[in-house]
Amino acid sequence: MEEEQDFQFILPFKNSDLLNSRGDQFYVQQIYTANEIPEQLLACKSKVHQRDPFYIFEHFDTYYSIIETTANDAAAIRNLMRAFDLLYLTVDTLGGQLSPLLSSSEPPSSHDRVRFLNLTKMTLFLFINTVKRIDIVVQQVLKEQQLNQQKKRGKQAEALEQYPDWDVKRGKFLVQLYNVMQYELEKLWSPPVAEENFVTMVCDICYRTLELVPQRADNRQCIDTLFYIFGIAIKRYNHAITFPARILQILRSTEHASTTVANGILLLHEKYGITTVFSILMKDIVEGLILDTSDTAVSRNFSNFLTEFSGIAPKMMIPHLSKLGDELLGCESHVLRNCVLQIMGDAVVGELTSEELDDEMKEARNEFLDSLLAHVNDISAHVRSKVLHIWHHLKEQHAIPLSYLIPVMREAVCRLEDKSSLVRKSAIQLIKAFLENNPYSGKLTHEELMKKYQKEVQVMEQLDEVIIEERKQAEKLNEQWKLVIPELMPIIEQSLNESPELQIDKEEPYEDLVNKILPLLVEKNYKDATVLVRKADFVLGNYEVSQLLNIEERCVYFISLFKTFLSMASGFKDSSEEMQKQIKTVEFLKDSIEFSLVATCAMPKMLELLMSKTNTDVFEAVDLFTTGYLFGIQGTQAGMQRMLNLVWSSDKEKRDAVSNAYRRVLFTTDLTGRAHSIKVVQNLSKFLSEIEYGHYTALEQLMGEWVASENVDALIIQVLFERFTLKLEGTTKDESRLALQLLIMASQAKSTISSANRVIIEDIAVGERAKQDPRIYTGCLQLLVNSIDANNNSKYYKRNAMDAKFVQQITSLFLAFFVHPKLPEFDALAMSLFEYYYRMCQAPDELAQHIVKELLGRFNDQWLVSAPSSAEQPPLTQTTDIPYSQPMPMSQGQSQSQLPSQPADGPVRMPVYLVARFVFCVGYMTIKEMIFLDMDVYNNMKYREELTALEEKKNKKDGVNALRRQTVSAMEVRKRLSGVAAEPQQEPDDDLVGATAEDNIAEEINAICEDMLLYDPNALMSKIYPLIIDICKRPGEYRDQHLQQSATLTLARLMTVSSKFCETNMSFLMNILNMTKNIKIKCNTVVGLSDLTFRFPNVIEPWTGHFYSQLHEENTELRLTAVKMLSHLILHEMIRVKGQIADLALCIVDESDEIKNITKQFFKEIANKSNILYNVLPDIISILGDINLHLEEEKYRIIMRYILGLIQKDRQIETLVEKLCLRFPLTRAERQWRDIAYCLGLLSYNERSLKKLIDNVQHFKDKVQIDEVYQSFKQIITNTSKLAKPELKAVVTEFETRLNECLQVTEPGSNPQTDGAPSESRANKTKTARPGTKSQRGRPKASSGRRKQNARPETSSEEESSDDDRATRSRRQTAQQRNRMAPSSESSD
């Protein structure tokens, strides 16, 4: 092989360069064919087994032929893999021979150096190029697999079978390469400096691997090996300049490299101490980002790298952050701003949280925090959300200084009104984290904090006075000291001179010495005191130190000790240190109050988010209210109550979120067993005492869920009963009543709670407590009624006999309560009694009539009195003009036998409150009688009928199924048979689906209600109802407001019994609604109309307009009632949705938040019910857009923004676009054009809907001249262009072109509006010439002050209305006529 040593191997620039012969350079002499290569590889294999690496000189051409082949067939791939295995062994052998050669202290000979240099270069050249070739083939195969993935799924595994464990082999190759690089290879060159091409060749395969291989858990060691090689190349082979450039290139082009490179750079720093490379890399990255600040793949890759690196090595990032912030925080790309801000946050968490930071580091930390705080208000929602997340992370890591806590909290509260739901969510989560991790207190109740603050301020003021006194005392002591020093100094000198080493008893305690010294100082016995002071100093262990001082210094030392003891003897104290602590305490409490106030400011905004259309807003708001309530934040109580509205949401996720929130608040304690149950009962009672009446039913619903899920378990029920019966020590009467209410709620879900304790409840209901507090009586009866299983029907439980002792007792007690003039909540008491009669007793109608007859008898026998004189008149109990008594009305049907002898000395009088109570009882009794007939009697008769049929058929098996039929009412059956829709929630009964022409039982029940209850001459009600009507008809004579309320409510209830009675008195009831000024009467009437609509929909339908007229009333309670009733009726499909719904849409901008929220929820619900909202939307837009309505433009936009946001179906949007465009030529006012254009701008467009807009350009081309109209169309273009597909962008471009054509300047002197609508001035002239008359709807003229601008107009000028508007105007005029004169019962709509 001597001849083979006379060449030198030059690493080629291109592999093909080795085919050319140049001087003594090595070149490839022969390229083997594919058929020849296997034989050559066998020869190579035999040489490898001989462990002689120099065979490469002879067989270089074989390996070269393999790596240069372009074939990708199976044979070529086999050759590649065999070549890799042989070269791996060859490099291993080479390393074994290089190790002794290069580790020797003697340099290698020139001959050996050249031989091993050529061998090393040739072997590594072949090894590295083999790996490159395999990588190329593998990538091609993978790419082909991806292209043919859908077609050749079954062959995917086969393609990779030719590369078994290639990732593992690549890892072995890199380890082998690293092992070779560890040798002192530079000794092979002369001078000993490795040539650059060799280092570049070795590192190039590492860079390629870095680009190809993403970091995974299973290849982490492989990636680390790459950077170990880079580290050796940089430290020993001068690769520091090339490395940053190549890494920068990889980061630019490779998305997955950011994590790999970040970990590698840190490895270089930790293992090799290489830091300059990172500085160069940072400089190049910043320069690259400055040149390209747009949101491109390059900027994203750089951002990912910086973020990854800051997360693992924040300390290395800190020196570069200032430049990063200065250069990139103002750039266009939000990705880059997010990156820099994330790095700042990581730096603060990782390195800047210590208490021992120097001033420079504190300044850097504050600079970073200031940047983060400023970008909470960044222009990009992505950045705002990201910064809030960073602050959240900082708070979790306790990395926010106290001085930043409140400013950050305040900014987060401001972000609750952000237009982006993502930002709002982040802000809520941050506020919640601040509350949960606040450094101030577990309870942030403002009142408690203020009390503590004021108390500590008083202590501080007292301390201030003490300090002033101490300063005066100190000045006085200093003056005394000046007089003592001349007298004391000689004594100390004498003592030190006479006995420099005084014999001292060590066992005498220091405290005893002090107690001896102080009296001596007071007596001015300084000589003896000096000896004791020296002893005390010795006992403290200062003797050896003082011995080191000279005489003069020791005198000064003991003088200072004497001054201290003299201060103690004089009783002097220094409170300055205590004052500093007190100042910190006061400042701390002041900060806690401010923190609490800032948190409180968030709650009104959170109330709005509770009713948001965005679910994330609702969930986060529920979560924050729950957290705030637990911390006692002011304002959260309102939120916890408002959350109860979500119990009725159709969205199950919202209902679950609310239920879980209340579980967390009410059922989470640190206690167990009975103590836990007592605490839960306390929480429930407190919450029940705070909720508003309107939320009571929602809490009932939640209580039912908690009972079903056993959150309210047997132990809690037991504690509730102990509270209710006052057996639990310390229970107050109010707590007992609250426990009773909670038991009522729980028993509705689980009847055994009541039935198992029936005897106890009955005893209390008629006991002394009930007599003293009628509310106990009422609650006990309600609790007893709940002993009936709600899943059962009337035929499955046993009723009490009429003459049962308990029934007689509650009746007697009721009659005693009836006459009590100051009885609270009589209505609830009476309702509970009649409810008990009709649910729990046999023959309840007879019991109820007995009560009425008894009351009538007592009226005649006891309560009728002559008008008393002023001296005898009892205290005033009413607020009417006749405060105590009213004339007893005489019904036409009453006979002299019913009214016995009357006093002859004056007109008959009776207490008015008794009449009001009697009238109320009559009304409630009647409606309960009707329900009893409709439900209980009907089902019982059907049950008997089925039993009879079963006996005839003798088929007990079928009978079991028949007896388990669902309970229905006679009214439902009649509606189904007559074709009138009942409530949609109730499924039709299988037994009634195949019913014949009529149900005899249902008809019989109906006949009783229609003809007998009120019209039978022998019926009690036929004699009483004229009395009710008489009271309603003569409000001037019966002026008591409570009496009028009871009479009107009773009239409405009587009307629900009989359709004949309803039709007869309907116009009278409408007159009461329109003419009375009593708001409670109006509200009761509206509720009564709602009930009547369910009972007799055909009778009430012509009067529907009176519902809508109440929406314009001034009184908030009346409007709220009307909104609730209308929403309920429309959602249950009892009222046809017409154009009048525009009146309901106006409530979206009502002054009352509750009305606004209910209205929004209503429109949200109907938007989910088929096409109801879509069908009436043109009417809403038309009516609200009428200029005579005088609706403010901003309010119009708020309404339409909400309603149009509920329209999501593409087909509906397309049709809506066309309808809105067609309205342009039908309108004459600029305001109307602006409104229509604004509505069009609110819609979301696809390709078809945008083409609709283009097709209708002719309808609004002359309106585009108006800037607001033009801007609305421009907004459509802007919004649709974002993230649009190419097809849609083409349509957008076409529309933009058509829109610009509309703006072209017309010929001079021509009117741009000639072809279109008249100008605004002309419209104004028209309006001035023919003003529209405006009348009030549904209320007297005097009550039109509050909302007259929002009230719908009844007429408009002919020039300003379209053909479809005329129909709407006709309907309005009809409603106006109804309001002026109520129609008779025969009138129709």
Side-chain angles (χ1 to χ4, degrees), residues 166-367:
W166 172 236
D167 285 339
V168 176
K169 287 190 174 184
R170 182 194 282 115
K172 291 181 178 180
F173 156 74
L174 292 173
V175 172
Q176 195 74 280
L177 200 60
Y178 169 66
N179 292 335
V180 172
M181 291 291 288
Q182 282 186 303
Y183 301 132
E184 297 178 32
L185 296 179
E186 63 271 15
K187 291 183 179 180
L188 297 177
W189 280 271
S190 180
V193 177
E195 64 180 273
E196 184 178 352
N197 288 345
F198 176 79
V199 178
T200 301
M201 177 189 71
V202 173
C203 291
D204 181 68
I205 188 62
C206 297
Y207 292 126
R208 288 173 178 269
T209 304
L210 204 58
E211 290 176 326
L212 290 176
V213 181
Q215 182 167 320
R216 301 186 303 270
D218 59 343
N219 67 358
R220 176 66 186 270
Q221 187 176 0
C222 174
I223 301 299
D224 287 348
T225 305
L226 290 175
F227 282 91
Y228 281 126
I229 295 171
F230 290 142
I232 293 174
I234 293 170
K235 295 291 285 187
R236 287 173 43 192
Y237 299 110
N238 301 323
H239 194 63
I241 297 175
T242 307
F243 177 76
R246 288 297 301 271
I247 290 295
L248 194 69
Q249 182 181 359
I250 291 172
L251 287 175
R252 281 179 177 275
S253 58
T254 310
E255 184 178 358
H256 64 75
S258 55
T259 303
T260 307
V261 173
N263 291 320
I265 296 294
L266 181 61
L267 184 146
L268 294 178
H269 171 70
E270 292 176 344
K271 299 294 184 181
Y272 296 98
I274 300 172
T275 56
T276 54
V277 167
F278 178 68
S279 299
I280 296 170
L281 194 60
M282 284 297 300
K283 180 182 176 183
D284 293 342
I285 286 175
V286 172
E287 289 177 356
L289 290 174
I290 292 172
L291 294 175
D292 182 14
T293 59
S294 59
D295 188 11
T296 62
V298 174
S299 64
R300 286 196 297 273
N301 292 346
F302 282 164
S303 300
N304 291 338
F305 164 71
L306 294 174
T307 304
E308 289 284 346
F309 192 75
S310 68
I312 59 176
K315 191 172 183 179
M316 293 180 67
M317 288 294 301
I318 290 176
H320 305 279
L321 267 181
S322 295
K323 184 176 181 181
L324 272 175
D326 295 341
E327 300 290 348
L328 300 181
L329 282 181
C331 67
E332 177 186 350
S333 172
H334 71 272
V335 175
L336 293 181
R337 297 202 299 279
N338 277 347
C339 167
V340 176
L341 294 169
Q342 180 66 60
I343 294 170
M344 289 180 173
D346 291 339
V348 172
V349 171
E351 298 294 333
L352 302 176
T353 57
S354 173
E355 295 287 341
E356 301 174 356
L357 293 177
D358 56 32
D359 293 340
E360 183 179 353
M361 296 302 283
K362 284 182 179 178
E363 184 179 351
R365 179 197 66 190
N366 294 343
E367 181 185 346

Side-chain angles (χ1 to χ4, degrees), residues 13-27:
F13 180 73
K14 297 184 298 183
N15 289 357
S16 59
D17 292 344
L18 289 175
L19 298 175
N20 302 323
S21 173
R22 291 188 183 89
D24 62 347
Q25 293 182 14
F26 179 87
Y27 67 97

Side-chain angles (χ1 to χ4, degrees), residues 1007-1039:
I1008 294 172
C1009 293
E1010 287 287 338
D1011 303 323
M1012 295 181 65
L1013 286 183
L1014 298 178
Y1015 291 105
D1016 188 345
N1018 297 321
L1020 181 64
M1021 288 307 302
S1022 66
K1023 300 178 177 61
I1024 295 178
Y1025 82 76
L1027 167 70
I1028 311 297
I1029 295 176
D1030 188 59
I1031 294 174
C1032 294
K1033 284 185 176 179
R1034 296 159 63 187
E1037 184 174 348
Y1038 306 103
R1039 288 189 288 271

Side-chain angles (χ1 to χ4, degrees), residues 104-149:
S104 174
S105 58
E106 295 294 330
S109 65
S110 176
H111 178 263
D112 289 342
R113 182 185 64 76
V114 172
R115 288 180 69 230
F116 275 97
L117 176 60
N118 285 334
L119 177 62
T120 302
K121 290 162 66 176
M122 294 171 72
T123 305
L124 291 183
F125 171 82
L126 293 173
F127 199 19
I128 288 170
N129 278 277
T130 301
V131 172
K132 283 184 182 179
R133 178 61 188 159
I134 293 175
D135 277 337
I136 291 171
V137 174
V138 169
Q139 292 303 313
Q140 287 178 348
V141 172
L142 291 175
K143 188 174 181 180
E144 290 173 1
Q145 283 182 2
Q146 291 174 356
L147 292 174
N148 301 322
Q149 191 171 8

